Amino acid sequence: MSKSRTRTSKPKTERRAQPKAIVLPPARVIIEHVDPEIDAGRFPIKRVVGESVTVEADIYAEGHDVLDGVLLYRHESESDWHESRLEPLVNDRWRALFVVTELGRYHYSLEAWIDYFLTWRRDLRKRIDAGQDVTVELLRGAQYVEAAIERAQSTDANLLRTVAMTMHSKESVREATELVLGDEVLRVMRDAADRSAAVRYERELAVTVNRKKARFSTWYEMFPRSTSDSPGQHGTFADCEKRLPYLAEMGFDILYLPPIHPIGTTNRKGANNAVECRSDDPGSPWAIGSSDGGHKSVHPELGTLDDFRHLVDAAESYGIDIALDIAFQCSPDHPYVKEHPEWFIQRPDGTIQYAENPPKKYEDIYPINFDTPAWEGLWAELRDIFEFWIQHGVRIFRVDNPHTKPFSFWEWLIGEIRKSYPDVIFLSEAFTRPKIMYQLAKLGFDQSYTYFAWRNTRHELREYATELTQTKVREFFGSNFWPNTPDILTEYMQWGGRPAFQIRHALAATLSSNYGIYGPAYELSVNEPLAPGREDYLNSEKYEIKHWNLDAPESLRPFIGRINQIRNENPALHSNWHLDFHDTDNDQILCYSKRTDDFSNIILVFVVLDCFHPHSGWSNLNLDALGIEPDQTFQAHDLMTGARYMWQGSHNFISLHPSDQPAHIFRLRRRVRSERDFEYFL
Amino acid sequence: MSKSRTRTSKPKTERRAQPKAIVLPPARVIIEHVDPEIDAGRFPIKRVVGESVTVEADIYAEGHDVLDGVLLYRHESESDWHESRLEPLVNDRWRALFVVTELGRYHYSLEAWIDYFLTWRRDLRKRIDAGQDVTVELLRGAQYVEAAIERAQSTDANLLRTVAMTMHSKESVREATELVLGDEVLRVMRDAADRSAAVRYERELAVTVNRKKARFSTWYEMFPRSTSDSPGQHGTFADCEKRLPYLAEMGFDILYLPPIHPIGTTNRKGANNAVECRSDDPGSPWAIGSSDGGHKSVHPELGTLDDFRHLVDAAESYGIDIALDIAFQCSPDHPYVKEHPEWFIQRPDGTIQYAENPPKKYEDIYPINFDTPAWEGLWAELRDIFEFWIQHGVRIFRVDNPHTKPFSFWEWLIGEIRKSYPDVIFLSEAFTRPKIMYQLAKLGFDQSYTYFAWRNTRHELREYATELTQTKVREFFGSNFWPNTPDILTEYMQWGGRPAFQIRHALAATLSSNYGIYGPAYELSVNEPLAPGREDYLNSEKYEIKHWNLDAPESLRPFIGRINQIRNENPALHSNWHLDFHDTDNDQILCYSKRTDDFSNIILVFVVLDCFHPHSGWSNLNLDALGIEPDQTFQAHDLMTGARYMWQGSHNFISLHPSDQPAHIFRLRRRVRSERDFEYFL
């Protein structure tokens, strides 16, 4: 499919005619509408190691000549292009693919040319079919063959010499036509094609390649200060370590910690975000910085930097990455406030501007002024914060509110980090308008929070997941589905009880290859809001130390663990490339499937969306999407219960119960034994 | 809506962060996904004089600041930009428009900026609504007002001085807030906005503007040699003049003549494309060139160049343009063959390659070799052909088979011609694959033949007309619907008799603002094919002189004349911008509407597609597209018969008959008199 080839001279990309200035007529081939290509090549697409990039383009020239072409690609560390032959589809659309195997950046482009030999060969066949004399035609064709000799490999060149000789003889017309119409000469002539007038696509496009966890990850957010075995006591990194087996058993592979830095005391918020706090209130971890240090320090009650490093290493032994929360804002006590007052906004009365979203005020936080004339020093320092934690073993960052910092800052910062650490994963917490959310992804964030938490009806879920995974958005936007966060307890969760937590978990874990929960509030189905109409938790862990009973009998721990096990065992769930929705005749039953590129693993999911009533209905499966023939019997193996059903066709009966069986997660096995498997049928 | 404004300094378009190289932080506003924009600005969009260009873009910045912006536009003859204020829609989408009033090329772009005053003003209102003390805030706001004084017009500056003074006084907080929240200060501050950090969209886009006939034209193709009153005699330009009243009465405004040049004798084709011809066969007008001259000469039997000029002038007095056929190919007798053998392809046996599409051969034609090393001289000569006929009064060209000549040639040629003659109209006869057809339009052809002739069912017509007129294709592709040509007599026309000619005419004339017929074969319903399965005419006029009986009682002359009159009288039919299809419950009845931008003219058409049976059914009108309320009574005035119907709602009864009444062409009048029109109701 592909071969390495050095191209020294760059072919024409110029398409505008300039008869006065150039001697050769302008190139004739048009290459356009390349896909994938984001905003005219302004942004790279994204892949993870082992994935393929399928590239399509419209390629054509005027008239009826035969074209040929290649997809060009190379890793940034290589100077020569690899080539993959383009195959024509229909309607002047061409396609080829390549597989990315290395971290970092790949480049790709396309090259196409008119092949006069192929054109001549096609017409020769038509002439022969029409019974025309082709003697003179063979002389014309011999010119192409002779010209190719010097471009061909030595053994191929020998063949071409023989062919040309045969074409010149009037005695061997029949032999010559058989030769030039044969497959071997076709192969040799295509390999030795005259590419002197080839057209290179005007842009070089890019792919950034990250490790597999950028595509397939299972996040668990946990407040380290709430991990002590003793109620009321401040948890430590050592306590976090003890929690690792619990998380590993449930199948999580990223443990995300809210900010672990010293917490300010000035204007510290009390329980439930109270403006006044009691002396023993621990404050919000997002009010970063105190006399104990800032973004490069750890809160003393959690332990030391060494303790943190120990936690990182211990987690690694479970296959768990520690993800840190990077929130670029400062408590009034942060060292930066004194050291770099120029990084903050001064009000006309001389005070520093605290954060606000009028009329709301966040008096415990100073925002950073990215427009400061001293921005260059500021940016460099913020980059150093990332590098500091990378030095301490962290490779995954959840970035707080990136949409309130300049786009150009993120593009620069992520680019800088990737130069040395192409395996770092950035999760954008940009709960903002859709175009800003997408822009951050284009600029380099690997993953992003989404509006999933507020998509609850069948129509909403179907429409949204389709937008994210089946439009060009998927080329740059890595969806991460979170049913809850410390800030988001949706009405569906507040009202739906424990079944709501099961249903939303099943959806997040199977619709999106990246998902996460904020626990242990999740597995314990904590659902009391601060007040009616609010999505904040009552007595939120953001302002208090909690003690959770992980062994509570109602815990969803086994349910979550089982679904994560199914995720881990089934490659279909490791990406979103092939997510297809299927109809059912009951609006409260959502049905969708995922599969691998080669159909070797096919998962079909049914989830009931109503938290209160059992529902049954009939599916109307899109069998094409499942790779199943209408008359083919197949097995639906429910990975949740172990039950196996024998099905045929689109219409199959489904029954679900919000608390007992909120979801079927079927693995479809297309091969079912029949009498034809017996020896006497063979 | 717009004002002229000189912008001397060009704002930033750079979006990539380069902290090392620049001192100011990178610009914060993103402008992207501009529409209309063809292939990242590679090609201009098209308009005709008097039309508007509505431009939309995604415009946003990080965070929550308020943005403002303008659409910039200028005619190529102007150096300063005009500005039209952008209005926000939803989801960070903005829109503005401008009207093109001059021939030639316009440029447009966009500029947007963060308006810190507007941001401050929005937040001030929130603070006041929340009962907060805003004394310090007013001091902050006064800085914006003071800074604006020097940018404002003198009277505005005086106002701002007063406002700033008021904002500084603690005694006048209430007065100051009322002032800065008022409309007058808003207007002044927006006009004097700080645009020093404005972002200019990275591309300047273009519009080519032609005269109205490029959008709205009614073509009639006629062989001049078949216009003599005496059967068997060769028609002349003078005979063509006599035909003008006939054409004008039918409402045509372009008379298109097949090539009028000397016809070659070598390998001349006989009747029905016979390889052997009789001595009196006139030959195909597309076999151009003889000892009498080539592309800059006229066939002697038609008359002289002066006669031709006389015809052009006579036609102009009827509002009719003469369109010439430009076919870049030569008979073996063309003077070029001797003068410029380097412009043709030599075969290995020394002969010149005639045209072929293997296994088909066109021995009476030599194709021109655009790849010749002497291409510069060739291209210049071909341009001179256009200029020659422009000097002789021709402004419309129908270009034969442009898809077999290089794209770059056409882009260059059309650009050259437009420099001096922006009112020239080019019609592309590119019956080829869709992407090539579209590419030619992008390169500059104003109009193009389409696949209309082969779109006959309701689904086909609806889908195709929607693609051409309601997708971005419409920005560059000027559809021209031809139900027949001398080469195309479709099966629908062969089988459907006279009703087929009525139906296809009604469709072409009302679906597309540009359409044409090949007559008099059309109005006489000539429908005998060369052979079953062929789309060529039997005894085609391409190879014979015809004598047509224009007064035949079965002629469609009155039908065609009536529909063209309706076209001319109703502006809704002068463009395709607002073509909407409506459902009916009968697949053989196609329903669609067209309207002007302002709904002042609304045409609703029903056409029966079955040539053999009367059909009736019920409409299901999309009332929104018609600007009609569901409870609103409206009048449907049938412009074909004069009948008037009073309708209400979507569902209305329709009855059509293929021969007697194949189409309703209603003008909808939304105002119907009622009792409320009487004086005693006023």
Side-chain angles (χ1 to χ4, degrees):
Chain A
M1 178 198 76
S2 77
K3 57 171 187 167
S4 193
R5 180 178 174 137
T6 309
R7 301 280 307 157
T8 45
S9 66
K10 193 176 158 134
K12 309 175 189 183
T13 57
E14 180 60 44
R15 287 159 58 183
R16 190 175 297 272
Q18 295 177 329
K20 295 272 162 56
I22 51 175
V23 175
L24 283 177
R28 290 173 49 190
V29 178
I30 303 284
I31 304 177
E32 63 180 11
H33 301 153
V34 174
D35 180 64
E37 173 182 296
I38 308 301
D39 296 351
R42 167 71 179 82
F43 302 103
I45 63 165
K46 296 201 184 92
R47 291 293 186 275
V48 298
V49 168
E51 288 186 328
S52 60
V53 180
T54 300
V55 180
E56 291 189 7
D58 293 344
I59 303 179
Y60 54 92
E62 87 280 358
H64 309 287
D65 289 326
V66 177
L67 303 188
D68 210 352
V70 290
L71 170 65
L72 304 168
Y73 63 96
R74 62 179 179 86
H75 186 262
E76 57 185 336
S77 63
E78 300 171 307
S79 54
D80 289 346
W81 291 107
H82 303 270
E83 297 191 344
S84 176
R85 183 83 69 178
L86 287 159
E87 300 296 335
L89 306 172
V90 293
N91 195 14
D92 294 312
R93 194 83 180 150
W94 295 67
R95 180 194 289 161
L97 66 81
F98 65 99
V99 174
V100 294
T101 54
E102 305 295 327
L103 287 172
R105 190 174 276 245
Y106 280 75
H107 298 276
Y108 62 100
S109 192
L110 302 102
E111 195 171 309
W113 55 91
I114 292 173
D115 193 313
Y116 292 98
F117 171 78
L118 295 183
T119 305
W120 171 87
R121 182 177 178 272
R122 176 201 62 194
D123 291 347
L124 181 73
R125 193 185 294 276
K126 289 183 189 166
R127 292 177 209 275
I128 289 167
D129 290 348
Q132 297 177 3
D133 173 28
V134 298
T135 315
V136 176
E137 281 307 313
L138 283 170
L139 293 178
R140 202 158 68 83
Q143 295 172 353
Y144 300 122
V145 175
E146 283 155 5
I149 290 172
E150 63 179 75
R151 293 187 300 265
Q153 315 266 351
S154 67
T155 52
D156 290 350
N158 290 339
L159 171 65
L160 295 183
R161 274 185 207 101
T162 312
V163 173
M165 212 150 49
T166 316
M167 294 169 83
H168 273 290
S169 162
K170 284 188 188 164
E171 271 67 58
S172 53
V173 166
R174 193 190 158 137
E175 191 190 342
T177 55
E178 276 175 12
L179 265 175
V180 294
L181 293 177
D183 288 345
E184 181 65 4
V185 171
L186 175 65
R187 183 194 63 73
V188 170
M189 286 298 288
R190 285 185 81 188
D191 283 349
D194 177 7
R195 290 164 64 169
S196 58
V199 165
R200 178 78 58 85
Y201 180 55
E202 60 194 308
R203 291 188 264 275
E204 269 184 28
L205 305 170
V207 195
T208 52
V209 179
N210 209 328
R211 59 185 161 129
K212 187 169 180 197
K213 214 171 239 187
R215 177 80 68 210
F216 176 56
S217 60
T218 314
W219 292 60
Y220 189 88
E221 175 176 5
M222 181 182 82
F223 283 74
R225 69 188 180 189
S226 298
T227 53
S228 169
D229 288 338
S230 315
Q233 191 159 327
H234 197 289
T236 65
F237 292 134
D239 292 323
C240 291
E241 277 190 41
K242 287 189 231 155
R243 193 65 66 85
L244 291 170
Y246 171 82
L247 299 176
E249 182 200 300
M250 273 199 289
F252 291 97
D253 59 16
I254 297 177
L255 169 57
Y256 148 45
L257 308 179
I260 58 172
H261 314 301
I263 296 170
T265 50
T266 302
N267 294 328
R268 176 178 281 189
K269 296 295 176 89
N272 288 312
N273 201 22
V275 176
E276 303 289 319
C277 84
R278 295 172 311 184
S279 62
D280 59 341
D281 279 336
S284 159
W286 283 274
I288 295 169
S290 76
S291 56
D292 292 317
H295 284 77
K296 294 176 189 167
S297 305
V298 294
H299 192 57
E301 292 182 82
L302 289 170
T304 65
L305 269 172
D306 285 343
D307 295 340
F308 176 73
R309 181 70 206 212
H310 200 273
L311 168 62
V312 169
D313 293 340
E316 192 181 344
S317 70
Y318 287 95
I320 293 175
D321 269 88
I322 298 293
L324 282 197
D325 190 319
I326 299 292
F328 283 143
Q329 56 198 24
C330 296
S331 99
D333 310 313
H334 196 293
Y336 288 162
V337 177
K338 277 195 190 129
E339 294 163 11
H340 293 286
E342 73 277 14
W343 291 352
F344 301 90
I345 297 171
Q346 311 272 338
R347 303 177 80 213
D349 61 357
T351 61
I352 290 183
Q353 177 84 54
Y354 47 72
E356 53 178 352
N357 186 6
K360 280 194 249 173
K361 301 179 178 185
Y362 307 91
E363 297 92 342
D364 58 340
I365 296 170
Y366 288 166
I368 289 171
N369 178 16
F370 282 82
D371 280 343
T372 171
W375 65 279
E376 290 180 272
L378 168 68
W379 288 25
E381 170 65 16
L382 299 182
R383 177 196 56 206
D384 288 351
I385 293 172
F386 279 96
E387 297 221 332
F388 179 87
W389 292 108
I390 290 171
Q391 302 300 338
H392 287 80
V394 178
R395 285 290 184 285
I396 302 184
F397 297 97
R398 176 269 197 195
V399 177
D400 192 80
N401 280 334
H403 57 290
T404 58
K405 287 87 188 171
F407 293 126
S408 46
F409 168 73
W410 293 119
E411 183 169 29
W412 170 79
L413 180 126
I414 295 173
E416 288 286 295
I417 298 295
R418 288 220 197 285
K419 279 183 198 164
S420 309
Y421 310 101
D423 62 335
V424 169
I425 295 171
F426 295 91
L427 166 64
S428 157
E429 189 244 11
F431 285 113
T432 177
R433 308 194 302 279
K435 285 167 188 171
I436 298 177
M437 191 184 269
Y438 286 157
Q439 180 74 13
L440 289 162
K442 291 178 186 176
L443 295 172
F445 282 91
D446 302 277
Q447 301 186 2
S448 174
Y449 287 78
T450 58
Y451 308 127
F452 166 71
W454 301 281
R455 297 292 183 274
N456 292 293
T457 68
R458 186 163 82 159
H459 175 74
E460 286 169 350
L461 285 162
R462 211 173 147 144
E463 191 176 55
Y464 189 51
T466 299
E467 177 184 327
L468 295 180
T469 70
Q470 304 307 309
T471 70
K472 74 172 177 181
V473 166
R474 68 182 184 175
E475 299 292 349
F476 59 83
F477 186 80
S479 317
N480 198 326
F481 278 11
W482 290 72
N484 77 330
T485 78
D487 291 314
I488 301 170
L489 175 68
T490 63
E491 291 174 314
Y492 185 94
M493 310 290 278
Q494 295 173 25
W495 302 337
R498 191 172 174 276
F501 284 75
Q502 290 185 307
I503 290 166
R504 296 297 296 177
H505 179 267
L507 289 170
T510 56
L511 276 173
S512 177
S513 56
N514 299 304
Y515 90 97
I517 58 171
Y518 151 56
Y522 200 94
E523 56 264 34
L524 298 178
S525 304
V526 174
N527 68 348
E528 257 192 294
L530 179 60
R534 295 291 297 269
E535 292 197 340
D536 313 73
Y537 280 88
L538 179 66
N539 305 322
S540 167
E541 200 166 3
K542 286 172 70 177
Y543 311 103
E544 304 178 22
I545 293 173
K546 293 282 182 185
H547 181 75
W548 303 106
N549 177 11
L550 304 183
D551 299 319
E554 74 276 13
S555 170
L556 294 176
R557 184 174 164 178
F559 181 86
I560 291 170
R562 179 66 197 136
I563 288 187
N564 282 345
Q565 187 187 358
I566 293 169
R567 269 170 62 89
N568 287 323
E569 289 172 357
N570 286 278
L573 300 173
H574 297 187
S575 77
N576 307 322
W577 294 113
H578 306 290
L579 170 63
D580 290 287
F581 286 91
H582 304 264
D583 292 331
T584 69
D585 62 358
N586 180 334
D587 266 359
Q588 293 294 340
I589 299 179
L590 179 70
C591 175
Y592 48 94
S593 62
K594 282 188 160 185
R595 64 169 178 85
T596 51
D597 289 350
D598 62 358
F599 290 92
S600 62
N601 187 249
I602 309 168
I603 298 293
L604 179 68
V605 182
F606 292 85
V607 184
V608 64
L609 302 177
D610 178 349
C611 300
F612 303 104
H613 307 94
H615 280 271
S616 61
W618 291 82
S619 68
N620 183 9
L621 302 178
N622 172 358
L623 293 177
D624 275 350
L626 302 170
I628 291 173
E629 298 296 323
D631 61 353
Q632 182 181 350
T633 303
F634 59 99
Q635 188 198 107
H637 177 192
D638 189 344
L639 303 176
M640 295 296 283
T641 63
R644 292 168 190 256
Y645 303 81
M646 198 168 293
W647 281 358
Q648 188 177 48
S650 302
H651 295 275
N652 301 288
F653 181 74
I654 290 297
S655 179
L656 292 165
H657 189 288
S659 54
D660 299 344
Q661 183 157 32
H664 287 296
I665 303 180
F666 293 114
R667 173 158 184 203
L668 298 190
R669 298 172 195 275
R670 293 185 292 172
R671 181 80 177 93
V672 173
R673 287 181 68 89
S674 79
E675 77 286 0
R676 283 181 296 273
D677 292 315
F678 289 103
E679 248 175 59
Y680 56 77
F681 264 89
L682 299 176
Chain B
M1 178 198 77
S2 76
K3 56 172 187 168
S4 193
R5 179 175 175 140
T6 308
R7 302 281 306 158
T8 46
S9 66
K10 193 176 159 144
K12 310 174 188 182
T13 57
E14 180 58 44
R15 287 160 57 182
R16 189 174 299 272
Q18 295 177 329
K20 295 272 161 55
I22 51 175
V23 174
L24 283 176
R28 291 172 48 190
V29 178
I30 304 283
I31 304 177
E32 63 180 11
H33 301 154
V34 175
D35 180 67
E37 173 182 296
I38 308 301
D39 297 350
R42 166 73 178 83
F43 301 102
I45 62 165
K46 297 201 185 89
R47 291 292 185 275
V48 298
V49 168
E51 288 187 326
S52 60
V53 180
T54 300
V55 180
E56 291 189 7
D58 293 344
I59 303 179
Y60 54 91
E62 87 281 357
H64 309 287
D65 290 325
V66 177
L67 303 188
D68 210 353
V70 290
L71 169 65
L72 305 167
Y73 63 96
R74 62 179 180 84
H75 187 261
E76 59 184 336
S77 64
E78 300 171 308
S79 54
D80 290 346
W81 291 106
H82 302 271
E83 298 190 343
S84 176
R85 183 84 67 177
L86 287 158
E87 300 296 335
L89 306 172
V90 293
N91 195 14
D92 294 312
R93 194 82 179 150
W94 294 67
R95 179 194 290 161
L97 67 80
F98 65 100
V99 175
V100 294
T101 54
E102 305 294 328
L103 287 173
R105 190 174 275 243
Y106 279 75
H107 297 277
Y108 62 100
S109 192
L110 302 101
E111 195 171 310
W113 55 90
I114 293 174
D115 192 315
Y116 292 99
F117 171 77
L118 295 182
T119 304
W120 172 86
R121 182 177 179 272
R122 176 201 62 194
D123 291 347
L124 181 73
R125 193 186 294 275
K126 288 185 190 164
R127 291 177 210 274
I128 289 167
D129 290 348
Q132 297 177 3
D133 174 29
V134 298
T135 315
V136 176
E137 281 306 313
L138 283 171
L139 293 178
R140 202 159 68 83
Q143 294 171 355
Y144 300 123
V145 175
E146 283 155 6
I149 290 171
E150 64 179 76
R151 293 188 300 266
Q153 313 266 349
S154 65
T155 53
D156 291 349
N158 289 339
L159 171 66
L160 294 183
R161 275 186 206 99
T162 312
V163 172
M165 212 151 49
T166 316
M167 293 170 83
H168 273 291
S169 161
K170 285 190 186 164
E171 270 66 58
S172 53
V173 166
R174 190 188 159 140
E175 191 190 341
T177 55
E178 275 176 13
L179 265 175
V180 295
L181 293 177
D183 288 344
E184 181 65 4
V185 172
L186 175 66
R187 182 194 64 73
V188 170
M189 286 298 289
R190 286 185 81 187
D191 283 350
D194 177 6
R195 290 165 63 168
S196 58
V199 165
R200 178 78 58 86
Y201 180 56
E202 61 194 306
R203 291 188 265 277
E204 269 184 28
L205 305 170
V207 195
T208 51
V209 180
N210 209 329
R211 59 186 161 128
K212 187 169 179 196
K213 215 171 238 186
R215 177 80 69 211
F216 176 56
S217 59
T218 313
W219 293 61
Y220 189 87
E221 176 176 4
M222 181 182 82
F223 283 74
R225 69 188 180 191
S226 298
T227 53
S228 169
D229 288 337
S230 316
Q233 190 159 330
H234 198 289
T236 65
F237 293 133
D239 292 322
C240 291
E241 277 190 42
K242 287 189 232 154
R243 193 66 64 85
L244 291 171
Y246 172 82
L247 299 176
E249 181 200 300
M250 273 200 290
F252 291 97
D253 59 17
I254 298 177
L255 169 58
Y256 148 45
L257 308 178
I260 57 172
H261 315 300
I263 297 170
T265 50
T266 302
N267 294 329
R268 175 179 284 190
K269 296 294 176 89
N272 289 312
N273 201 22
V275 176
E276 303 288 320
C277 84
R278 298 171 308 185
S279 62
D280 58 342
D281 279 334
S284 160
W286 283 272
I288 296 169
S290 76
S291 56
D292 292 317
H295 284 77
K296 295 175 188 166
S297 305
V298 295
H299 192 59
E301 291 183 81
L302 290 170
T304 65
L305 268 172
D306 285 343
D307 296 340
F308 175 74
R309 179 72 206 210
H310 200 273
L311 167 61
V312 169
D313 293 340
E316 193 181 344
S317 71
Y318 287 95
I320 293 175
D321 269 88
I322 298 293
L324 281 197
D325 189 319
I326 299 293
F328 283 144
Q329 57 198 23
C330 297
S331 100
D333 311 313
H334 196 294
Y336 288 162
V337 177
K338 277 196 189 125
E339 294 164 11
H340 293 285
E342 73 278 13
W343 291 351
F344 302 90
I345 297 171
Q346 312 272 340
R347 302 178 77 211
D349 61 355
T351 60
I352 290 183
Q353 177 84 54
Y354 47 74
E356 52 180 352
N357 185 8
K360 279 193 249 173
K361 302 178 178 186
Y362 307 92
E363 298 91 343
D364 57 341
I365 296 170
Y366 289 166
I368 290 170
N369 178 17
F370 282 82
D371 281 341
T372 172
W375 65 280
E376 292 180 273
L378 168 69
W379 289 26
E381 170 65 15
L382 300 182
R383 178 197 55 206
D384 288 351
I385 293 173
F386 280 96
E387 298 221 333
F388 179 87
W389 292 108
I390 290 171
Q391 303 300 338
H392 286 80
V394 177
R395 285 289 184 285
I396 302 185
F397 297 98
R398 177 268 196 196
V399 177
D400 192 78
N401 280 332
H403 58 289
T404 59
K405 287 89 187 172
F407 293 127
S408 46
F409 168 73
W410 293 118
E411 184 169 29
W412 170 80
L413 180 125
I414 295 173
E416 288 285 295
I417 298 296
R418 288 219 197 287
K419 280 183 198 164
S420 309
Y421 311 100
D423 62 335
V424 169
I425 296 172
F426 295 90
L427 166 64
S428 158
E429 189 244 10
F431 285 112
T432 177
R433 309 195 301 280
K435 284 167 188 171
I436 298 177
M437 191 185 269
Y438 286 158
Q439 180 73 12
L440 289 162
K442 291 178 186 176
L443 295 172
F445 282 92
D446 301 277
Q447 301 187 1
S448 175
Y449 287 77
T450 59
Y451 307 127
F452 167 71
W454 301 280
R455 298 291 183 275
N456 293 293
T457 68
R458 186 162 82 159
H459 175 75
E460 287 169 349
L461 285 162
R462 215 174 143 144
E463 191 175 57
Y464 189 52
T466 299
E467 176 184 327
L468 296 180
T469 68
Q470 304 306 310
T471 71
K472 73 172 178 181
V473 166
R474 68 182 183 174
E475 298 292 349
F476 58 84
F477 186 80
S479 317
N480 198 326
F481 280 11
W482 288 74
N484 77 329
T485 78
D487 291 314
I488 300 171
L489 174 67
T490 64
E491 291 175 312
Y492 184 95
M493 309 290 278
Q494 293 173 26
W495 302 337
R498 193 172 174 275
F501 284 75
Q502 289 185 307
I503 290 166
R504 297 296 296 177
H505 179 268
L507 289 170
T510 56
L511 276 172
S512 177
S513 55
N514 299 304
Y515 90 97
I517 58 172
Y518 152 56
Y522 199 94
E523 57 264 35
L524 299 178
S525 305
V526 173
N527 68 348
E528 258 193 294
L530 180 61
R534 295 291 297 270
E535 292 197 339
D536 313 73
Y537 280 87
L538 179 66
N539 304 322
S540 167
E541 200 167 3
K542 287 172 70 178
Y543 311 103
E544 306 177 20
I545 294 173
K546 292 281 183 183
H547 181 75
W548 302 105
N549 177 12
L550 304 183
D551 299 318
E554 73 277 12
S555 169
L556 294 176
R557 184 175 164 177
F559 181 87
I560 292 170
R562 179 65 198 138
I563 288 189
N564 282 344
Q565 186 187 1
I566 293 170
R567 268 170 63 88
N568 287 321
E569 289 172 357
N570 287 277
L573 299 173
H574 298 185
S575 78
N576 307 321
W577 295 112
H578 305 290
L579 171 63
D580 290 286
F581 286 91
H582 304 264
D583 292 330
T584 69
D585 62 358
N586 181 334
D587 265 359
Q588 294 294 340
I589 299 179
L590 179 69
C591 175
Y592 48 94
S593 62
K594 282 189 160 185
R595 62 169 178 85
T596 51
D597 290 350
D598 62 358
F599 290 92
S600 62
N601 186 250
I602 309 167
I603 297 293
L604 179 69
V605 181
F606 293 85
V607 184
V608 64
L609 302 177
D610 178 350
C611 300
F612 303 104
H613 308 92
H615 281 271
S616 61
W618 291 82
S619 67
N620 183 9
L621 302 178
N622 171 0
L623 294 178
D624 275 350
L626 302 170
I628 290 173
E629 299 296 324
D631 61 353
Q632 181 181 351
T633 302
F634 59 98
Q635 189 198 108
H637 177 192
D638 189 343
L639 303 176
M640 295 296 284
T641 63
R644 293 168 190 255
Y645 302 80
M646 198 168 291
W647 281 358
Q648 187 176 49
S650 302
H651 296 275
N652 301 287
F653 181 74
I654 290 297
S655 179
L656 292 164
H657 189 288
S659 55
D660 299 344
Q661 183 159 33
H664 287 296
I665 304 180
F666 293 114
R667 173 158 184 203
L668 298 190
R669 297 172 196 272
R670 293 185 291 170
R671 182 80 179 90
V672 173
R673 287 180 67 88
S674 79
E675 77 285 2
R676 283 181 296 273
D677 292 315
F678 289 103
E679 249 175 58
Y680 55 77
F681 264 90
L682 299 179

